[in-house]
Amino acid sequence: MEKGSEEVPEVCRGIISNIGETVFENPELGLKITVWEAVHPSVNIFYRTFEVRNTSNLVKHLRFFSNQNYRILETKIGETAVIDKNTLIHYKRDRYFLHASDPPFDQYAVGTAEWKGLEGTWRDMESDASLSGNPVAHGSVDSTLGWTLPELKPGESTRLHYWIVLGKKYCSVLQIHKRVKEAGRKALFHHNFNFWNSFTEQVSVLPESARMSQLPQRVSKCFYRSLLAVVAHMDINGSIIASCDSDIKQFGADLYSYCWPRDAAWVCLALDRARYHHLTAETFEFFAKTITPRGNFLHKYTPAGDFGSTWHPVPMIQIDETGLPLYALYNNWEIEKSVWTTGRYYRRLVLPTANYLVKAIDRETDLPISSFDLWEERKGVHTYSACTVYAGLNGAYELSRSLGDYDNANIWKEAAERIRKSILEKLYDERLRRFRRGLNDATLDSSVFAVWYLGILPPDDIRVAQTMEAIERELKRPSGGIARYLHDTYFGYMNSWIICTLWLSQWHSAVGNLDRALELLDWCAAHAHPAGLFSEQIDDRGNPLSVLPLAWSHSTYVLAVLEYLQALEKKESSSCDYPE
């Protein structure tokens, strides 16, 4: 038996390989490192297991190092790092990060980093693979831990188990660390992976689950990974950040770690479709707490619910970000039929947002007022935005009828129908034989899929078919994916976007072209990161670009797979020959 092989429970190994495994290999060094990761479902513990394998023909004597360089509370000022027995603790104010391992580290160094030319303790590691042993430092600090691995003969491996405990007090992180040691590694792995297995097993209640086995393996794998990725972007207060990617720097020095109401609403649509209603209820509560007194939502919010950074001038409106949360609440009612949820948020969400949307209809055009588009690049009257306002108002009409508020129901229905009529009259271009991006913008844009998806027209209407066929014909890229719009230059020229490719897949499912729908689903799965995560974009060579992962990409994948399976069930049921 290889060294350490008994230390990951047998029952967990298959789960780990499907959910939390990353492999790094360097043939020149003759090393292969496999990393398994887990986050505890209820306690603030991040856990990693490293397997170091000697793939060379020589005996290896190795040391393993880990460097920590935090910006606690967003700055490097006033931090402390200290060695306490077999643990390392970084802290500032009420933020504590405890690091420990099994076997314990046998080297350490704590010192100054990024201050007056000092780069950090990792320089000690690089210079001679030996650390100074300094036990404490304050100010702008970092730390490095080291482990001397046992001798590895060719083909042998060893494992190192490493965890980080987070807390608000020094004593609390030590207490949790003690519990980790007492429970043992097997209990921690069992708890983590059994929890998330049980979480994804809830999908088995769906009618579509009966045909899940008919999906290609990588498609089904990406489906379950997408469920996990979406939930990983949710906070306990119901906020859903767009991405947890810490590498991306959007527009100079900002991140994607904000809650866009648009992105969060699409996540709610996917979670409700998969029957995770308890999670969407948390997001509706977040919406109810962040809505403005006027009844609309602003550009984006911090995970705590504060108004986030923006590049939009006042009034900072993207009107689809008000229409979509309202539509998401209606979608929840359509699937769950919970009077409790509808009643709880009727006055807090439905009334203010629907009344705001009615006031936001231009009397001359019967379309929503000018606002920034979903790509947040241009201001105008856009087809996608108009469809979301229609969907929100039509949803409000249905919700009001379910609760007996017929006076408002009539107002909202009349407003929704005015928008629908104007979309068909003013945003469909007879000459181009497709829908335009906007009232004064004839650009072909994949976002006009909203015309059929949000209920303006059925998916098999000739105007929809012409539009979607134009998107597939003119926006298809050499890699096989679909671009956002003609001549897009964001992160390169007309890159494929995962969500745009999936919108086309959803349309093919809706009209019964199941082979093509599955082909597009499989294309997305083939272009996922090795960890199973979806980026925002894919370049023409098939490489991921921009933010990784993107919650919107994953939520759309969940919807697209379930809609494909539903269409497959419908097709197979209709083709059955019943005996007379």
Side-chain angles (χ1 to χ4, degrees):
M1 181 177 291
E2 295 169 353
K3 297 179 182 178
S5 63
E6 77 284 356
E7 295 174 348
V8 176
E10 283 289 347
V11 71
C12 294
R13 288 185 191 164
I15 305 170
I16 294 170
S17 64
N18 287 332
I19 295 180
E21 179 182 280
T22 307
V23 179
F24 304 91
E25 190 164 7
N26 189 321
E28 293 182 5
L29 293 176
L31 290 176
K32 178 181 179 181
I33 300 177
T34 304
V35 185
W36 294 281
E37 297 178 336
V39 175
H40 197 282
S42 58
V43 184
N44 292 327
I45 303 171
F46 172 70
Y47 194 91
R48 268 183 177 152
T49 292
F50 299 92
E51 180 184 79
V52 181
R53 181 179 297 276
N54 181 1
T55 59
S56 74
N57 296 321
L58 303 173
V59 174
K60 296 282 187 181
H61 297 87
L62 303 169
R63 284 180 179 170
F64 195 92
F65 293 94
S66 173
N67 177 258
Q68 295 70 227
N69 191 348
Y70 292 103
R71 281 168 174 74
I72 303 176
L73 298 174
E74 308 300 331
T75 75
K76 290 295 295 175
I77 298 174
E79 297 179 6
T80 298
V82 59
I83 298 294
D84 187 344
K85 297 180 181 177
N86 288 324
T87 70
L88 160 71
I89 300 176
H90 281 247
Y91 73 90
K92 179 166 64 179
R93 288 176 50 189
D94 61 348
R95 300 290 189 273
Y96 290 83
F97 300 78
L98 179 148
H99 312 74
S101 64
D102 186 10
F105 50 85
D106 56 10
Q107 289 193 60
Y108 58 82
V110 174
T112 303
E114 301 179 27
W115 183 255
K116 293 185 176 180
L118 296 173
E119 296 179 271
T121 55
W122 59 272
R123 277 297 187 188
D124 296 341
M125 169 193 70
E126 281 198 342
S127 61
D128 59 3
S130 182
L131 301 177
S132 67
N134 186 52
V136 62
H138 71 98
S140 182
V141 302
D142 83 328
S143 63
T144 303
L145 300 176
W147 295 262
T148 303
L149 301 183
E151 177 183 276
L152 293 179
K153 296 177 181 177
E156 284 190 335
S157 67
T158 188
R159 286 184 178 168
L160 171 66
H161 306 270
Y162 177 78
W163 56 92
I164 302 174
V165 178
L166 292 81
K168 292 191 173 184
K169 294 182 179 179
Y170 197 103
C171 60
S172 67
V173 292
L174 286 171
Q175 289 171 352
I176 295 173
H177 164 65
K178 183 180 178 181
R179 285 162 50 190
V180 173
K181 293 286 288 183
E182 290 174 349
R185 293 185 299 271
K186 289 185 179 182
L188 188 65
F189 270 105
H190 276 298
H191 195 151
N192 277 283
F193 292 105
N194 287 346
F195 175 88
W196 290 112
N197 262 1
S198 297
F199 176 85
T200 56
E201 280 178 2
Q202 183 170 326
V203 175
S204 63
V205 305
L206 298 175
E208 294 87 349
S209 67
R211 286 171 172 75
M212 195 72 72
S213 61
Q214 295 176 239
L215 293 172
Q217 184 178 11
R218 64 184 176 187
V219 172
S220 61
K221 183 177 178 180
C222 281
F223 171 80
Y224 288 110
R225 171 54 100 180
S226 291
L227 275 177
L228 294 175
V230 163
V231 176
H233 285 77
M234 296 188 73
D235 202 347
I236 196 169
N237 67 349
S239 66
I240 306 171
I241 61 173
S243 177
C244 58
D245 187 345
S246 61
D247 289 334
I248 190 75
K249 295 294 186 292
Q250 186 186 37
F251 303 127
D254 211 349
L255 303 171
Y256 276 64
S257 53
Y258 295 95
C259 179
W260 274 262
R262 172 197 308 108
D263 298 46
W266 280 111
V267 169
C268 286
L269 291 171
L271 289 175
D272 272 326
R273 184 68 175 76
R275 307 301 193 271
Y276 290 91
H277 306 305
H278 62 292
L279 294 176
T280 58
E282 295 175 4
T283 301
F284 296 139
E285 182 66 22
F286 180 82
F287 286 154
K289 291 179 178 178
T290 54
I291 192 171
T292 71
R294 297 174 62 193
N296 70 309
F297 290 97
L298 299 174
H299 183 186
K300 54 191 167 85
Y301 298 85
T302 69
D306 306 304
F307 181 36
S309 63
T310 186
W311 52 89
H312 293 334
V314 174
M316 308 169 186
I317 293 175
Q318 296 176 170
I319 203 162
D320 68 303
E321 296 210 285
T322 300
L324 277 171
L326 180 53
Y327 175 69
L329 184 60
Y330 160 67
N331 180 72
N332 173 272
W333 162 255
E334 276 290 284
I335 296 173
E336 189 184 16
K337 287 293 189 288
S338 171
V339 176
W340 170 259
T341 302
T342 302
R344 182 175 185 180
Y345 296 109
Y346 189 74
R347 293 198 172 275
R348 299 169 68 193
L349 273 180
V350 178
L351 280 171
T353 53
N355 287 333
Y356 172 84
L357 293 175
V358 170
K359 294 175 184 176
I361 300 174
D362 185 283
R363 293 184 179 181
E364 291 186 7
T365 64
D366 279 340
L367 291 169
I369 58 173
S370 178
S371 73
F372 283 92
D373 67 349
L374 81 161
W375 307 128
E376 306 183 327
E377 294 177 337
R378 59 193 63 81
K379 194 173 182 180
V381 179
H382 301 104
T383 301
Y384 173 89
S385 300
C387 292
T388 64
V389 174
Y390 163 80
L393 286 171
N394 188 62
Y397 157 71
E398 296 290 352
L399 291 172
S400 61
R401 289 180 66 250
S402 71
L403 296 178
D405 183 6
Y406 297 109
D407 290 339
N408 277 316
N410 293 331
I411 294 172
W412 297 336
K413 182 64 174 177
E414 187 270 338
E417 286 305 315
R418 282 166 51 205
I419 293 174
R420 180 180 182 275
K421 183 173 182 290
S422 194
I423 289 173
L424 297 177
E425 290 178 353
K426 296 182 172 68
L427 295 174
Y428 181 78
D429 193 311
E430 292 285 355
R431 181 179 63 83
L432 295 173
R433 301 177 66 193
R434 62 169 173 78
F435 282 91
R436 305 160 61 91
R437 175 161 67 191
L439 190 60
N440 300 307
D441 187 348
T443 304
L444 178 62
D445 192 308
S446 61
S447 68
V448 297
F449 90 104
V451 170
W452 70 269
Y453 199 82
L454 296 179
I456 305 297
L457 290 173
D460 57 357
D461 184 276
I462 185 61
R463 290 161 290 184
V464 170
Q466 290 169 344
T467 300
M468 298 305 295
E469 287 166 2
I471 288 171
E472 184 160 21
R473 181 177 62 252
E474 299 179 41
L475 298 184
K476 184 178 178 181
R477 304 304 299 150
S479 67
I482 303 299
R484 288 194 299 177
Y485 53 81
L486 285 173
H487 309 306
D488 181 14
T489 58
Y490 183 52
F491 272 89
Y493 183 74
M494 286 185 67
N495 296 315
S496 300
W497 280 56
I498 296 291
I499 55 172
C500 301
T501 306
L502 291 170
W503 293 339
L504 182 61
S505 173
Q506 289 172 288
W507 177 71
H508 279 296
S509 289
V511 296
N513 300 330
L514 299 190
D515 289 344
R516 180 59 176 150
L518 183 58
E519 183 180 354
L520 292 164
L521 287 172
D522 192 58
W523 181 90
C524 293
H527 289 83
H529 184 272
L533 300 174
F534 288 129
S535 61
E536 181 182 69
Q537 305 174 44
I538 303 294
D539 69 17
D540 286 346
R541 297 180 300 276
N543 301 316
L545 281 177
S546 188
V547 65
L548 172 72
L550 183 68
W552 194 356
S553 296
H554 285 286
S555 64
T556 308
Y557 200 79
V558 170
L559 285 168
V561 168
L562 291 177
E563 289 165 19
Y564 167 80
L565 291 174
Q566 183 182 43
L568 182 63
E569 190 276 335
K570 181 180 179 181
K571 182 177 182 179
E572 292 181 349
S573 297
S574 64
S575 64
C576 290
D577 293 323
Y578 294 97
E580 295 183 0

